[in-house]
Amino acid sequence: MEFLYFPEDKSEYIPGIISVVIIFILSILIVWLLIRASRKQVKQLEEQGYPVVYHKNSEIGSSQEDKVEIPAEQKQNARKNDFERDKKS
């Protein structure tokens, strides 16, 4: 097992630990920025009049008050349009 290297001097672990901590902090920052940008896009869509629909399976991270219910008529029309579109292709 020559490919494994465990140094006697534990100070050699410091650069690796620093790298892991920096990457972890950057990944948290990137996720935070993506969430922020997504919320901004949702707000812009709502201002333009588009309904924002959340699927029941994607309830993680969103509250009930953020969700918009689609009336049953619109759901049936959407299903009918999807069926007709699939039928044509």
Side-chain angles (χ1 to χ4, degrees):
M1 296 222 173
E2 296 176 18
F3 61 92
L4 292 177
Y5 171 69
F6 297 102
E8 296 293 326
D9 183 17
K10 301 303 179 192
S11 64
E12 293 184 32
Y13 289 117
I14 294 173
I17 292 171
I18 291 172
S19 299
V20 168
V21 169
I22 289 173
I23 290 171
F24 183 74
I25 291 171
L26 287 175
S27 64
I28 290 174
L29 178 69
I30 289 171
V31 169
W32 178 73
L33 289 172
L34 287 171
I35 290 171
R36 192 171 146 203
S38 176
R39 288 183 181 160
K40 189 181 288 186
Q41 287 179 345
V42 167
K43 187 180 282 187
Q44 287 175 351
L45 284 174
E46 287 175 343
E47 289 173 357
Q48 292 176 1
Y50 291 101
V52 178
V53 180
Y54 295 95
H55 297 290
K56 291 184 179 182
N57 295 337
S58 64
E59 292 183 7
I60 299 173
S62 61
S63 64
Q64 290 289 353
E65 63 191 22
D66 291 340
K67 298 182 182 180
V68 175
E69 261 319 298
I70 298 177
E73 292 176 7
Q74 288 180 353
K75 285 183 182 179
Q76 287 177 339
N77 289 340
R79 287 184 188 138
K80 184 178 178 183
N81 291 340
D82 289 344
F83 177 73
E84 289 174 3
R85 185 187 70 229
D86 291 342
K87 195 171 153 182
K88 289 179 183 177
S89 43

